[in-house]
Amino acid sequence: MSLKRGRKFLNTPGPTNVPERVLQAMHRQVMDLSDPEFLEVSKSCFLDMRKVIQTKGEIFLYASNGHGAWEAALSNVFEPGDKVLVPESGNFSNSWSTMARAMHLEVKTIPGDWRRALRPEAVEARLKEDTKGEIKGILLVHTDTATGITCDVPAVRAAIDAAGHPALLLVDTVAALGTCEYRMDDWGIDVTVSASQKGMMMPPGLGIVAASQKALDVTLKTKMPRHYWDWKTRMEAAHYRKFCGTAPQLMVFGMRESLNMLFEEGLETVFERHRVLAGATHAAVEVWGQAGALYLNASEPRERSVGVTTIRTGDGIDANDIRVVCRDEMMAGLGGGLGDFDGKAFRIAHMGDTNAPMLYGALGAVESTLGYLNIPYASGGVTAAVDHITQAKKTGAGPFTY
Ligand SMILES: *Cc1c(COP(=O)(O)O)cnc(C)c1O
């Protein structure tokens, strides 16, 4: 019996659904590099990305994915031999560390628990030990997409200040930007790293970086070999320099439309929508989990990401089976378990261009897959999600607490 017809659902935490409006905006002819129409749209994107990131700092756009944006950030503010501190949050802090080591940085890790957010007190304690100020930067992952956990960035800033430490604060908000509050300047962040294909509702292909004045001052002194990523040349007046060569024109037209959509909806409304959809997903998983085979990875409810839910499976249950059946039989794409969670977790994303019925579709596909695979679950998960959303429509999402 096959059900392979109709729209493919996409509930992976990147890439995410690209709105029809963004696709249409990109579906056009390319043009002369210096066409005034393109220059105007591009300049407006650089300006408006500041509103999303909440910064007066400098914006850089790269024809790259999030890994490119990571490398852009590291190569501009560090040089070989520099020490960086990475509080472990999950697979993404580990991967960023791997990149930093490949670039000959000395990485110091604060071991973390993949079920809880990293602890700002541990950052403070570690920085206080660094009496000579050898640590040049802290690499922080805002939402670790592997664990489905969001950390308290302002609390980490407060910890750095409490230690009186001069290190730069670099934040990877690839999976959080456009899903929840992010205030680069108010939170004292020096470098922001993001990408197009998650909360920003675009296809993969644009790396987004923002730099504070402190970071811009540092980049003039660091000697890491770099050219494509270099901020200095990208800040020259000629627009051609902004992309170190030909601009990814159609991606930029897509970005313009995605920014229009975010502003039309209003960032606060966007964030509230994410909170409601996340709460509905958690409600579903809590029902399924009553049979003992599944549970929410994030053990502390207030640390749960609003954009992605990581669901762990009990011993003897290969989470990849759930993901593969969902994708190949139910036409619903889910995220798999990453790193240490391979085979032990699957992930349902509810970020970007998504709404209640799209979420019900994904949750329904999961619930029916659990039954099909004879994995113990309590039925009624989808109903719990529906009820959660009905209630939220009546009373509002409220703050993200249960
Ligand atoms: C997706 C993601 C990345 C990497 O982005 P790519 O575009 O796949 O290179 C980095 N950090 C986090 C937190 C992510 O979710």
Side-chain angles (χ1 to χ4, degrees):
M1 206 283 293
S2 167
L3 293 165
K4 295 185 200 173
R5 194 66 263 170
R7 195 168 284 252
K8 272 190 187 176
F9 273 61
L10 182 63
N11 285 80
T12 63
T16 63
N17 298 288
V18 180
E20 208 59 43
R21 275 175 63 179
V22 172
L23 292 176
Q24 293 301 333
M26 297 178 69
H27 187 82
R28 55 177 300 166
Q29 194 47 267
V30 294
M31 55 188 68
D32 179 326
L33 291 178
S34 58
D35 189 302
E37 184 193 359
F38 173 72
L39 295 188
E40 194 181 313
V41 167
S42 177
K43 282 176 188 163
S44 77
C45 287
F46 280 90
L47 285 176
D48 284 348
M49 267 318 298
R50 288 182 168 167
K51 295 183 195 157
V52 177
I53 294 177
Q54 303 271 342
T55 184
K56 293 194 166 60
E58 199 66 33
I59 303 287
F60 302 96
L61 299 176
Y62 297 91
S64 79
N65 58 14
H67 279 70
W70 267 351
E71 184 154 336
L74 298 182
S75 68
N76 272 284
V77 294
F78 301 123
E79 54 192 23
D82 277 355
K83 250 185 217 172
V84 293
L85 181 64
V86 186
E88 181 184 359
S89 57
N91 194 59
F92 285 90
S93 66
N94 289 0
S95 305
W96 205 5
S97 300
T98 302
M99 177 182 277
R101 284 192 200 95
M103 295 168 75
H104 296 188
L105 304 183
E106 192 181 328
V107 176
K108 301 284 172 196
T109 307
I110 301 177
D113 173 349
W114 284 29
R115 297 203 62 199
R116 285 295 311 269
L118 56 94
R119 291 181 312 114
E121 314 85 80
V123 176
E124 181 178 338
R126 184 64 189 77
L127 290 176
K128 278 184 173 157
E129 287 167 20
D130 183 41
T131 47
K132 290 195 211 130
E134 287 175 346
I135 292 168
K136 298 287 183 234
I138 295 146
L139 313 187
L140 190 68
V141 178
H142 188 190
T143 292
D144 199 300
T145 326
T147 61
I149 292 173
T150 301
C151 76
D152 186 345
V153 181
V156 174
R157 175 77 254 173
I160 301 168
D161 294 344
H165 201 285
L168 293 171
L169 176 58
L170 285 73
V171 178
D172 164 350
T173 187
V174 177
L177 195 69
T179 72
C180 63
E181 191 175 44
Y182 186 81
R183 312 184 71 84
M184 175 163 169
D185 291 359
D186 292 351
W187 294 356
I189 295 160
D190 294 298
V191 182
T192 294
V193 175
S194 197
S196 54
Q197 79 275 20
K198 303 194 182 180
M200 294 304 296
M201 311 189 293
M202 278 175 273
L206 271 189
I208 303 164
V209 174
S212 70
Q213 191 55 50
K214 184 173 164 191
L216 293 174
D217 292 343
V218 168
T219 201
L220 300 177
K221 289 177 237 148
T222 53
K223 298 201 169 41
M224 181 78 78
R226 58 174 180 255
H227 182 76
Y228 179 73
W229 307 118
D230 189 54
W231 291 343
K232 201 155 56 65
T233 36
R234 285 172 180 255
M235 286 171 70
E236 287 173 13
H239 193 271
Y240 181 71
R241 298 264 178 246
K242 297 238 173 293
F243 290 93
C244 191
T246 307
Q249 294 173 335
L250 302 186
M251 288 298 293
V252 174
F253 282 114
M255 176 176 255
R256 182 62 267 163
E257 195 59 25
S258 119
L259 289 165
N260 292 347
M261 291 179 70
L262 287 175
F263 298 148
E264 280 166 26
E265 188 178 353
L267 289 177
E268 287 306 322
T269 314
V270 170
F271 302 158
E272 187 179 42
R273 172 167 54 79
H274 280 84
R275 291 201 296 275
V276 172
L277 297 177
T281 308
H282 304 162
V285 178
E286 267 161 1
V287 170
W288 296 331
Q290 285 162 12
L294 304 172
Y295 56 97
L296 288 161
N297 178 57
S299 58
E300 175 60 44
R302 67 188 161 79
E303 295 174 353
R304 288 176 192 152
S305 156
V306 298
V308 56
T309 298
T310 300
I311 301 147
R312 300 278 299 277
T313 52
D315 289 344
I317 300 168
D318 186 346
N320 285 326
D321 292 345
I322 301 171
R323 187 173 58 84
V324 168
V325 169
C326 262
R327 185 192 59 206
D328 297 347
E329 305 290 334
M330 305 287 174
M331 311 276 283
L334 307 176
L338 296 178
D340 293 354
F341 282 179
D342 183 22
K344 297 180 178 159
F346 65 99
R347 296 171 299 147
I348 301 175
H350 27 81
M351 65 170 76
D353 187 51
T354 192
N355 60 27
M358 289 159 88
L359 181 67
Y360 300 152
L363 296 175
V366 172
E367 190 158 331
S368 123
T369 298
L370 295 173
Y372 174 70
L373 289 173
N374 296 315
I375 292 169
Y377 74 100
S379 68
V382 178
T383 305
V386 171
D387 291 346
H388 182 94
I389 286 172
T390 307
Q391 196 55 39
K393 273 305 285 175
K394 287 183 178 162
T395 58
F400 197 49
T401 49
Y402 293 89

